[in-house]
Amino acid sequence: MRLHPAFLTFTMLLPAAIYSQPPAQTSTPAPTAEEVKAAAGLPFRNPSLSVEKRVDDLVGRLTLEEKVSQLIDRAPAIPRLDIPAYNWWNEGLHGIARSGYATLFPQAIGNAATWDVPLLHSIGEVVSTEARAKYNDAIAHNNHDRYFGLTVWSPNINIFRDPRWGRGQETYGEDPFLTARLGTAFVEGIQGDDPKYFRAIATPKHYAVHSGPESTRHKANVDPTPHDLWDTYLPAFRATIVEGKADSIMCAYNRVDNIPACANKMLLGDILRGDWHFNGFVTSDCGAISDFYESYGHHYSPDAPSGSAAGILAGTDTDCGTEYRALTDAVHKGLVTEAQIDVSLKRLFTARMKLGMFDPAEQVPFSKMAMSLVNSPEHAELALRAARESMVLLKNERHFLPLDPAKHQTIAVIGPLAGSRVALEGNYNAIPLHPLLPIDGIESEFGHDHVLYAQGATYIASGDLPVPRTMLRAASDSTVDGLEGQYFSKPSFDGAPAMVRIDKEIDFDWAFANPVEPSDTSKQAFAVRWVGALRSPVAETLRLQFRLPICYPCQDKLKFAVYLDGKKLEPVAPPTPTATKLPPSGRNYGAIQHFSVPFADTRPHELRIEYVQSARINGAGLSFEWTPSPDLLLKQAEEAASKSDVIIAFVGLTARLEGEEMKVDAKGFAGGDRTDIELPDVQEQMLEAVAKTGKPVTVVLLNGSALAMNWAHQNARALLEAWYPGQSGGQAIAETLSGKNNPAGRLPVTFYRSLDQLPPFDDYSMANRTYRYFKGKPLYAFGDGLSYTTFTYSGLKLSSTKPNAGDTLTVETDVKNTGSAAGDEVAELYLIPPQTALSPKQALAGFQRFHLKPGETKHITFHLDPRTLSQVDEKGIRAVTAGEYKFSVGSSQLGGDLGSSAISAPFTIAGTHRIPH
């Protein structure tokens, strides 16, 4: 999506991923009874005809103006033909997003860490099932809004070539093979296997050669070498289109070989529709067409009509934006013909036909999917499984984990991410109904009475945090953490509340979501009153704030008030310029109400917070935050650590810091990207301070990109990478620390030691990047990950040690669990080709995840086709070539530092066999 320069000041509070929110609910203009009757008899409404004939009939009935209107993401209704409005924009990266509550899976990078192809297929099925259920419900309520459609703009299969890219969290990592396999499975899960209808349509993005920097994406040109283009940047797209049969694809913002991706006939024509025989539709990234001609962009086209014509002529069928409205003018000027517009229009209506939008509901097998499927127990269990499988154990000194309850009776949970909802979510996230925070997971697993909790630090220096549960009480004389939340089903506090519960933090995202009636997205009026007490940890003035929807007071749709000791608090001016504040994550609210509250003591003071929403508000929600003193947080952390037997430190990043084109004024971050790969200073200082107590430290990372965790590598007893783990992340982390979950996740990216090991961020050459071409020694390698048990590989056998080029090879081996615990293993197969100036050091060629009991042996087989055995030369030609090769198979790369069990075998290929693009 696009951040227009005119919105820079406004979006200082917002990540670009959510700054462009949907308008107020749009209802299709109702056709007259006569129009409905007349349209019902038209050929395009006849499901017995071929889709091609139906689409030809429909398009042939439209005026030029009607045709143009259908080429933007907000396609309006055409009442005279009983064609309803349709919004093409929906998001489903790791859960159906921004349309009320839905199942939230780990962020895509965490799903990649599972190395589990069937799991990604199942996640895709859940995402599209919940999308279809929401669509059915929306249509029943005449809601044709954004985020309620069936065209899902996921997965993001760009290659995470550099850890500084803020959107790398959305990808499946740095390897083309892993990305291709996981991306294809996700696409197939989204679209389903019905012979006639799609459950939903997947949209691999961003095509092509796109991976930051965010700050230059609207004007940047990338000139990849033919080798890098075909070896790294295109294979995953080819797989999702050719194998996965994705029916849609999104073109990127940047130029490739000096032509914008959305006007690039080589990418969209020669390769996509020529080499790969793609028959679906292409959508632009949001605002990408305006980048052709606006002053901040590519300077490719002189004006909107010319830019819009360039998009259509190249094969970009729908415009996320309004730029294609200029196509009417473009036709009149002779820049494009109506027949050329028809080509794109037919692709779009073909997609709608294949989604069943013009057929009787009883003929569409997905039309009865109900809202009861959303957040179902089965979906929640899959989210928990994904979170468990995503855990990557990177260090476990002297088998420190699992924690021994006999030795570690008191646990200090320390760190700003322990009680952070946004740290579970990542970006492009679903809204979780019952998110389980890390602190909740630890307390549930080890017992509340055995856990001490301190925030310890802010995310970055001078940053804000949610007011912790340790400062909130259910009543002035209560020892229960949190506030009593009284939830009313109407926008008033009359009568008894429909629901009463304890909310340990006040930090909620209610975009299209009603906390009182969570399964009904049509009801957006409710009220919440929180009562209890606020206890300041120090007798001094605290800086408090409430983050509200950006529209507040939202044309009187929202009323908010806060009372302390019965007195209404009045907001004050912010202590620092708004630009220095962190943007809210995953929601469109950032109107901040600041309060400066003096406390003469540390006793509990009566607190009441009132939130009344009378209609739907874009980006609805509320967060109660504070700006604590760094010294105070450190003191609290040291006190908790000194009283404990073991420290679990939750550190890392959030989508407030890394993400899509956003303003972040903080050391180490710029425009959504990172300028270094270190842990933020305040968090590093916290780790060092608590370690000085002498208590053993286990570090848990929550992040979407690799961090140079050199201190933890040297000083922590254990290091667990948990990513942004989704709605069940707290449980999965706690079970991993206790040993109920034996970790088997693997890194989908390289963890470098410092920026000194990397080329410049904007250099798209793959030289010295990723495990395939990196010449140095990483902190942790691609494919690394430990277990609580051990595995031994033996009996490596190839179907031929002297195959001819073009042959398929079979590789077999036995894997035995030689430890005392049951657990999953990920067998990683690498191809080590003859070494040349262009060849990778090694390349992933296969992987399998499976479960073994202690003492159990499994015989596994890999089938490698010629494409997997091929290499790409300097001209971009892919071929299997003659030479001496080697396979390695094991728990990680051959010769890895984490106790690799890998074994290897050589083989020799004779001859040459060219592989088509």
Side-chain angles (χ1 to χ4, degrees), residues 682-738:
V682 288
Q683 296 188 52
E684 188 87 13
Q685 292 161 8
M686 181 200 75
L687 288 178
E688 295 174 5
V690 297
K692 289 178 181 178
T693 64
K695 305 302 174 65
V697 178
T698 290
V699 174
V700 179
L701 279 177
L702 294 108
N703 50 301
S705 53
L707 287 161
M709 297 297 294
N710 294 292
W711 184 94
H713 179 69
Q714 296 167 6
N715 298 282
R717 295 292 298 275
L719 176 59
L720 180 68
E721 171 60 81
W723 314 104
Y724 299 134
Q727 67 184 43
S728 301
Q731 181 177 348
I733 291 168
E735 290 179 345
T736 304
L737 297 175
S738 74

Side-chain angles (χ1 to χ4, degrees), residues 413-420 452-459 464-471 505 624 626 628 632-634 636-637 640 650-651 683 686:
V413 174
I414 295 172
L417 286 91
S420 172
L452 305 172
Y453 169 49
Q455 289 179 315
T458 50
Y459 304 129
D464 306 318
L465 288 171
V467 170
R469 61 188 64 186
T470 52
M471 291 172 56
E505 289 85 18
F624 182 21
W626 71 320
L632 171 62
L633 292 183
L634 267 184
Q636 292 175 329
F650 288 87
V651 297
Q683 296 188 52
M686 181 200 75

Side-chain angles (χ1 to χ4, degrees), residues 657-669:
L657 295 169
E658 57 175 352
E660 183 180 2
E661 194 181 5
M662 61 188 186
K663 279 280 185 179
V664 178
D665 181 10
K667 179 186 176 184
F669 302 90

Side-chain angles (χ1 to χ4, degrees), residues 278-501:
F278 176 67
N279 292 317
F281 67 94
V282 177
T283 185
S284 79
D285 207 337
C286 296
I289 303 301
S290 66
D291 288 348
F292 296 2
Y293 56 85
E294 293 287 5
S295 60
Y296 53 80
H298 299 301
H299 303 282
Y300 180 76
S301 302
D303 52 31
S306 299
S308 297
I312 288 290
L313 293 173
T316 298
D317 303 304
T318 187
D319 160 36
C320 178
T322 59
E323 291 78 11
Y324 269 10
R325 289 176 181 172
L327 282 169
T328 302
D329 195 17
V331 171
H332 294 323
K333 290 181 176 180
L335 300 173
V336 65
T337 67
E338 189 168 350
Q340 289 168 324
I341 286 177
D342 287 350
V343 172
S344 288
L345 195 60
K346 288 179 180 180
R347 291 170 182 158
L348 297 177
F349 276 111
T350 296
R352 292 181 69 175
M353 292 282 184
K354 290 183 177 180
L355 287 165
M357 293 181 179
F358 294 93
D359 290 359
E362 60 271 16
Q363 294 188 17
V364 182
F366 313 114
S367 64
K368 291 183 173 59
M369 287 183 167
M371 285 294 289
S372 58
L373 292 171
V374 179
N375 284 309
S376 69
E378 294 79 11
H379 293 180
E381 184 60 33
L382 189 69
L384 175 58
R385 174 189 160 193
R388 287 168 172 159
E389 290 195 20
S390 71
M391 299 291 120
V392 182
L393 184 61
L394 294 174
K395 181 180 181 181
N396 194 18
E397 185 178 276
R398 298 193 300 276
H399 305 290
F400 184 73
L401 296 179
L403 292 176
D404 184 346
K407 294 180 181 178
H408 307 125
Q409 294 190 4
T410 302
I411 300 171
V413 174
I414 295 172
L417 286 91
S420 172
R421 174 180 58 82
V422 297
L424 297 179
E425 295 176 341
N427 69 357
Y428 282 90
N429 59 285
I431 301 172
L433 179 59
H434 299 298
L436 191 72
L437 304 184
I439 177 62
D440 293 317
I442 299 295
E443 289 184 345
S444 176
E445 186 69 17
F446 295 96
H448 178 274
D449 294 339
H450 294 275
V451 177
L452 305 172
Y453 169 49
Q455 289 179 315
T458 50
Y459 304 129
I460 58 168
S462 303
D464 306 318
L465 288 171
V467 170
R469 61 188 64 186
T470 52
M471 291 172 56
L472 303 175
R473 294 290 181 270
S476 297
D477 57 353
S478 174
T479 59
V480 176
D481 291 346
L483 300 178
E484 180 183 287
Q486 303 169 354
Y487 290 77
F488 296 78
S489 58
K490 295 181 179 180
S492 74
F493 298 116
D494 296 337
M499 175 177 67
V500 177
R501 70 186 188 194

